Amino acid sequence: MLPASVRPVFDAVQARNPHEPEFQQAVHEVLHSIAPVLERHPQFVSGGIAERIVEPERQIIFRVPWVDDAGVLQVNRGFRVQFSSVLGPYKGGLRFHPSVNLSIIKFLGFEQIFKNALTGQGIGGAKGGSDFDPHGRTDAEIMRFCQSFMNELYRHLGEHTDVPAGDIGVGAREIGYLFGQYRKITNRHESGMFTGKGVQWGGAEVRTEATGYGAVFFAEEMLAVDGGSLEGKRVAVSGSGNVAIYAIDKAWQLGAVPVTASDSSGYVVDDAGIDVGLLRQVKEIDRARISEYAVRRPSARFVEGARPWEVAVDIAIPSATQNELDESDAAALIAGGVRAVVEGANMPSTPGAIAALRAAGVLFGPGKAANAGGVATSALEMSQNAARQRWSFDDSEAKLRVIMKNVHDSAFDAAERYGHPGDYVVGANASGFERVAHAMLAQGVI
Ligand code: NDP
């Protein structure tokens, strides 16, 4: 139940955005968490902060026409939702996936505002993407699609305006094509207008690894407060993309044993622990389905059409997509003895799952805090681009570790301050919101 103080804001969001369930879900969660913040800061109420923050500053929807290898015309829809620039240039990834629609981009953009605020860096919140499905497309098709996408989007971007990065379906290859087209159209090698670039042409060390590594650093912080550690723990990871691969990699490095990976066809469980090299070969180089991992690895088996939460583990790191861990998955994890769930993906746990995990005393790290390492390292990439510098891998990873500790501590402290000790959902939302709200008040009604 939403507190009465924020109910009218949510009612207005529902009335104004009736066909956007994911956006409503994200707003509901944030409003629930910030009710105690509004109570303590009457100036946020009189300043209409909640009413203003739920409406994007700008939404762009555009046609993306392109021609496939068979010479057939294809038309996709492109999106960029520029939610808030009060703390810095709009910042957030691009997602290419057939499920993309305005609701999903708005939920991601809304979450991004608070996540970015939580990192302490000067970056606003945005998200974009397309309903284009890169699976099974040739490199030439991907390139033509990216070029057409950028033919429209370029006019809304810039290092001081809006700085995209990757997300589902947008990795190093797509970022290369998108950046190349921007450079061609504008005649500017503007390194700071995109993050996640190749390290040879303006990218930052550790950006590729940052989201997965950061989620595991966050897990380490949570476990430490609880008197535990990652040493010897069995970890279930979902997904087999950018976030999942590097979460698995860092879990190994910190002494844990990651035993699962998945994609939309099912999951693999490997009691010997996931072989990161083989996983990368299968998913990043061969671009094959996850079942291929089990074909090549005798200690693993593939479970079709299921999710990895039925495997008994100590720690779960959902790293695929939104709402991929529901109440029944939470029950299975609890029955298997899970101690912590740390979100690598954005909003992978349903509200019912979060409630069940919290009720069972499971530590829960929301994506807004736990996966903030990616965008935080993007901000470091922007700093390096602006200064024309390149920091070493070790130096960048050390900075990421400090940032994740600060993100953890900000969320933890805010949860205590607002009377919800140990509730990282309330803590992350409240802490991010405070920073955004103070800046909005200072900058007036715009
Ligand atoms: P990738 O495209 O690299 O990987 C996505 C993975 O999730 C793939 O294994 C994919 O499988 C799986 N997946 C996607 N959709 C579904 C679905 N509907 N059901 C089951 N599995 C699915 O994306 P990322 O690793 O970059 O992103 C993963 C999550 O992390 C997203 O929620 C993203 O928003 C979030 N995130 C990413 C950041 C980054 O830096 N990349 C930063 C912060 C958050 P398949 O190939 O079968 O589709």
Side-chain angles (χ1 to χ4, degrees):
M1 272 289 283
L2 269 184
S5 59
V6 289
R7 185 80 225 178
V9 181
F10 187 66
D11 289 344
V13 166
Q14 275 189 310
R16 191 175 262 179
N17 310 279
H19 306 297
E20 300 179 4
E22 294 86 359
F23 177 53
Q24 291 180 18
Q25 182 181 337
V27 171
H28 190 281
E29 182 203 286
V30 169
L31 289 177
H32 193 272
S33 300
I34 64 167
V37 184
L38 295 177
E39 225 165 83
R40 266 195 224 167
H41 296 84
Q43 71 274 32
F44 293 167
V45 178
S46 57
I49 301 297
E51 288 80 356
R52 284 193 277 149
I53 199 72
V54 295
E55 188 64 19
E57 289 179 8
R58 189 176 299 103
Q59 310 183 48
I60 302 142
I61 302 180
F62 53 100
R63 178 171 70 196
V64 189
W66 58 286
V67 178
D68 69 19
D69 286 351
V72 177
L73 174 80
Q74 304 281 343
V75 180
N76 285 99
R77 181 171 283 182
F79 300 89
R80 186 72 178 165
V81 174
Q82 298 176 329
F83 234 110
S84 171
S85 58
V86 75
L87 293 181
Y90 302 110
K91 184 87 195 83
L94 297 174
R95 175 176 293 191
F96 292 168
H97 192 272
S99 64
V100 163
N101 56 35
L102 187 59
S103 174
I104 287 182
I105 298 300
K106 281 172 68 179
F107 115 64
L108 289 163
F110 185 67
E111 297 260 293
Q112 198 83 46
I113 306 171
F114 307 104
K115 178 190 310 188
N116 293 3
L118 206 48
T119 68
Q121 313 274 341
I123 40 181
K127 201 80 186 188
S130 173
D131 57 4
F132 171 71
D133 185 359
H135 286 108
R137 292 292 177 188
T138 63
D139 282 357
E141 289 177 319
I142 299 282
M143 184 176 72
R144 287 198 294 279
F145 175 81
C146 288
Q147 290 174 342
S148 179
F149 186 85
M150 191 52 85
N151 284 347
E152 171 58 32
L153 192 63
Y154 85 94
R155 68 186 90 246
H156 308 289
L157 305 181
E159 61 187 344
H160 302 296
T161 307
D162 185 350
V163 184
D167 191 78
I168 292 178
V170 179
R173 173 181 58 172
E174 291 75 15
I175 291 172
Y177 295 146
L178 290 162
F179 181 81
Q181 187 69 355
Y182 180 89
R183 183 173 60 77
K184 173 82 178 170
I185 296 170
T186 60
N187 193 29
R188 284 162 66 89
H189 192 114
E190 197 183 325
S191 301
M193 62 65 60
F194 217 111
T195 60
K197 300 180 296 293
V199 286
Q200 299 310 322
W201 43 278
E205 296 285 359
V206 188
R207 176 60 189 91
T208 306
E209 296 84 357
T211 308
Y213 277 20
V216 177
F217 289 147
F218 193 90
E220 193 183 34
E221 295 295 333
M222 280 174 70
L223 291 167
V225 168
D226 191 48
S229 79
L230 282 161
E231 192 66 43
K233 301 291 188 310
R234 267 167 69 89
V235 181
V237 176
S238 65
S240 49
N242 174 264
V243 179
I245 286 172
Y246 293 102
I248 290 170
D249 191 29
K250 186 50 73 180
W252 272 123
Q253 290 175 26
L254 296 184
V257 184
V259 291
T260 69
S262 72
D263 65 15
S264 50
S265 66
Y267 74 88
V268 290
V269 55
D270 185 343
D271 283 323
I274 296 288
D275 178 336
V276 184
L278 176 60
L279 185 64
R280 291 193 62 187
Q281 178 68 39
V282 168
K283 296 302 294 186
E284 291 189 334
I285 298 165
D286 303 341
R287 296 189 188 271
R289 306 308 294 157
I290 195 72
S291 53
E292 186 58 27
Y293 177 92
V295 171
R296 299 187 204 172
R297 175 98 164 154
S299 54
R301 68 191 161 85
F302 173 61
V303 184
E304 190 174 355
R307 302 193 281 216
W309 317 128
E310 58 198 26
V311 177
V313 290
D314 304 299
I315 295 157
I317 310 184
S319 304
T321 192
Q322 65 274 358
N323 294 328
E324 54 157 322
L325 196 165
D326 63 18
E327 221 168 319
S328 61
D329 298 317
L333 283 169
I334 293 163
V338 77
R339 181 70 205 111
V341 174
V342 181
E343 295 187 327
N346 283 312
M347 209 168 76
S349 314
T350 63
I354 299 172
L357 292 165
R358 296 278 306 140
V362 175
L363 299 171
F364 181 77
K368 205 171 282 138
N371 72 31
V375 76
T377 309
S378 278
L380 301 184
E381 183 173 336
M382 291 162 73
S383 301
Q384 289 167 77
N385 292 149
R388 296 191 182 279
Q389 286 180 354
R390 193 162 146 205
W391 306 339
S392 72
F393 191 97
D394 290 348
D395 192 20
S396 306
E397 190 182 1
K399 287 188 166 66
L400 170 64
R401 201 162 189 160
V402 170
I403 288 170
M404 292 315 296
K405 180 168 174 30
N406 291 341
V407 167
H408 170 274
D409 293 354
S410 297
F412 186 85
D413 293 348
E416 299 242 312
R417 274 192 286 121
Y418 288 106
H420 294 266
D423 187 335
Y424 289 91
V425 176
V426 168
N429 284 326
S431 173
F433 178 76
E434 280 176 336
R435 288 180 190 168
V436 173
H438 282 298
M440 286 177 75
L441 265 191
Q443 293 179 28
V445 178
I446 46 168

